[in-house]
């Protein structure tokens, strides 16, 4: 089943959700600010995206700038920061089987559905 890691307050995430709704396919919405993924779930998402943990971080968030920006962090520490502060996780993320994309731009979602 298709999954979307969604933040309803984010316009790109809402656009990504609309793409899924219009696709006619079944999907699951994970409001990741309410249901925070744990470290192993984030590791799995990062592996599917084929990116480094740092590439999943929203670097313009105040918590990143204030607490992490100028530090040398391991991948595990970056993932732990996203678990502790889920608003650091880039969104939306759409997973379909063994494929995943960050929906920026939202049209990128079309490649995997």
């Amino acid at each position: 089943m298709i999954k979307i890691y969604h933040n309803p307050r984010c316009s790109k995430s809402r656009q990504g959700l609309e793409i899924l709704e219009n696709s006619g396919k079944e999907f699951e919405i994970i409001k990741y600010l309410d249901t925070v993924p744990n470290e192993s779930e984030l590791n799995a998402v990062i592996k599917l995206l084929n990116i480094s943990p740092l590439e999943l971080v929203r670097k313009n968030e105040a918590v990143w700038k204030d607490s992490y920006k100028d530090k040398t962090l391991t991948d595990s520490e970056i993932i732990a920061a996203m678990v502790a502060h889920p608003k650091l996780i880039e969104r939306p993320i759409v997973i379909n089987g063994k494929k995943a994309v960050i929906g920026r731009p939202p049209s990128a979602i079309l490649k995997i559905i």
Side-chain angles (χ1 to χ4, degrees), residues 10-13 58 90-92 101-109:
C10 171
S11 64
K12 299 289 186 212
S13 196
R58 294 177 54 82
E90 189 60 83
R91 72 252 181 174
V101 295
I102 297 171
R104 289 187 172 268
S107 60
I109 296 166

Side-chain angles (χ1 to χ4, degrees), residues 3-8 28-37 95:
K3 295 180 183 180
I4 180 170
Y5 286 84
H6 176 60
N7 178 350
E28 175 186 0
I29 299 170
I30 301 168
K31 293 182 181 176
Y32 67 91
L33 295 178
D34 299 331
T35 306
V36 180
I95 299 171

Side-chain angles (χ1 to χ4, degrees), residues 53-54 71-80:
L54 188 59
K71 295 181 179 176
T72 302
L73 302 169
T74 65
D75 286 351
S76 294
E77 290 169 329
I78 293 167
I79 291 169

